């Protein structure tokens, strides 16, 4: 249980174009989804947190106009990298948590397989 | 502020030898601790977690970790490693935020390299 998928797994785009990455919870309703960025051989950096039906909360230093996050349903969140540039090339990972009775679900995050973005 | 420290960036170990990956945290409130494993070009897989109860938690593939409140540690151990355990291991603490959600604070990761 608690499977999270991401699509696409990798994408190559030209500088200046926009790229959308989807994150889906396959067997549970994700009340909260998280988007991370990971540079080679480094830890994960939290970009933003989104709750279904409300605006995402961005971490300090993350440009909300550049990284658009939508969490329209309990099973889908999208990250759109607008006007992508080579410095946006990275590994993007989403995760999800849910909110059953009790706090265990809200505390634990389940991660997707990641999307590797390369901007030429 | 809460933080997680993984002192060892790389740990080489021979196959079938025991291993310990260290994780220390700083937190003034209740802690929820996790170990995740990441294989190359993949997302993170939950290895084990401590939320409450028994301080010794175990995974299905032979790893275990012990929550030690006095030493603020959550070290990961395995008595006998396999080549397939070669991966990056991340320790994380989940912290509560005013918005009602929880946020992970990750350590910098430890690369476990199992040698034949």
């Amino acid at each position: 249980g608690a499977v999270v998928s991401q699509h696409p797994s990798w994408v190559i785009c030209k500088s200046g174009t926009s790229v959308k990455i989807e994150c889906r919870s396959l067997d549970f309703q994700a009340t909260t989804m998280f988007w991370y960025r990971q540079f080679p051989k480094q830890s994960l950096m939290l970009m933003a947190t989104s709750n279904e039906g409300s605006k995402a909360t961005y971490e300090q230093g993350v440009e909300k106009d550049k990284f658009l996050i939508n969490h329209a349903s309990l099973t889908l969140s999208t990250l759109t990298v607008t006007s992508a540039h080579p410095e946006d090339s990275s590994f993007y990972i989403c995760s999800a948590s849910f909110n059953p009775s009790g706090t265990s679900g809200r505390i634990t995050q389940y991660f997707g397989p990641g999307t590797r973005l390369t901007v030429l | 502020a809460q933080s997680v420290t993984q002192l060892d960036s790389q740990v080489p170990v021979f196959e079938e030898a025991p291993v310990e990956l260290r994780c220390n945290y700083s937190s003034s409130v209740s802690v929820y601790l996790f170990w995740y494993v990441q294989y190359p070009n993949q997302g993170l897989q939950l290895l084990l977690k401590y939320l409450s109860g028994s301080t010794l938690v175990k995974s299905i593939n032979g790893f275990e970790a012990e929550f030690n409140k006095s030493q603020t540690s959550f070290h990961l151990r395995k008595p006998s490693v396999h080549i397939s355990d070669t991966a990056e291991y991340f320790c994380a603490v989940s912290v509560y935020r005013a918005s009602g959600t929880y946020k992970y604070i990750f350590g910098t990761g430890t690369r476990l390299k199992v040698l034949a």
Side-chain angles (χ1 to χ4, degrees), chain A residues 11-96:
Chain A
V11 57
I12 301 173
C13 69
K14 293 182 179 179
S15 185
T17 61
S18 295
V19 174
K20 180 184 285 189
I21 302 170
E22 291 186 349
C23 176
R24 293 182 185 272
S25 57
L26 299 184
D27 53 1
F28 67 100
Q29 293 186 324
T31 48
T32 305
M33 285 185 166
F34 306 81
W35 286 95
Y36 294 85
R37 185 173 179 177
Q38 185 180 32
F39 292 102
K41 300 185 187 299
Q42 294 189 28
S43 189
L44 282 73
M45 181 192 79
L46 179 63
M47 300 173 66
T49 303
S50 71
N51 291 303
E52 184 265 339
S54 60
K55 289 184 178 180
T57 301
Y58 290 81
E59 296 298 305
Q60 194 170 12
V62 177
E63 299 175 62
K64 58 182 66 177
D65 293 331
K66 177 148 188 78
F67 299 100
L68 301 179
I69 291 170
N70 183 280
H71 191 168
S73 78
L74 284 171
T75 58
L76 173 65
S77 176
T78 59
L79 167 68
T80 301
V81 184
T82 62
S83 187
H85 291 285
E87 58 266 28
D88 299 323
S89 298
S90 192
F91 194 51
Y92 292 89
I93 306 176
C94 73
S95 70

Side-chain angles (χ1 to χ4, degrees), chain A residues 38 43 49 59 108-109 112-113, chain B residues 36 38 43 49 97 103-104 107:
Chain A
Q38 185 180 32
S43 189
T49 303
E59 296 298 305
T108 305
Q109 294 180 30
Chain B
Y36 284 86
Q38 184 180 35
K49 62 183 177 182
R97 297 192 287 185
K103 168 184 174 178
Y104 274 6

Side-chain angles (χ1 to χ4, degrees), chain B residues 8-113:
Chain B
D8 306 304
S9 59
Q10 293 187 66
V11 174
V13 62
F14 284 104
E15 193 174 18
E16 298 183 4
V19 70
E20 179 181 82
L21 306 184
R22 295 180 292 169
C23 173
N24 288 88
Y25 67 91
S26 66
S27 175
S28 58
V29 296
S30 297
V31 290
Y32 307 105
L33 295 157
F34 303 80
W35 275 102
Y36 284 86
V37 59
Q38 184 180 35
Y39 298 99
N41 298 310
Q42 294 186 29
L44 275 65
Q45 299 175 27
L46 179 63
L47 200 54
L48 43 74
K49 62 183 177 182
Y50 170 79
L51 302 183
S52 65
S54 173
T55 56
L56 181 65
V57 291
K58 299 184 179 184
S59 72
I60 58 174
N61 56 355
F63 283 95
E64 64 179 36
E66 186 158 21
F67 169 57
N68 188 317
K69 188 174 182 179
S70 63
Q71 297 187 8
T72 61
S73 68
F74 191 55
H75 301 330
L76 181 69
R77 302 183 183 94
K78 189 170 185 180
S80 176
V81 295
H82 302 290
I83 295 288
S84 58
D85 293 323
T86 295
E88 188 86 19
Y89 292 79
F90 290 99
C91 181
V93 61
S94 185
V95 298
Y96 182 75
R97 297 192 287 185
S99 60
T101 59
Y102 286 81
K103 168 184 174 178
Y104 274 6
I105 296 174
F106 280 98
T108 50
T110 296
R111 184 169 300 273
L112 174 63
K113 174 71 173 177

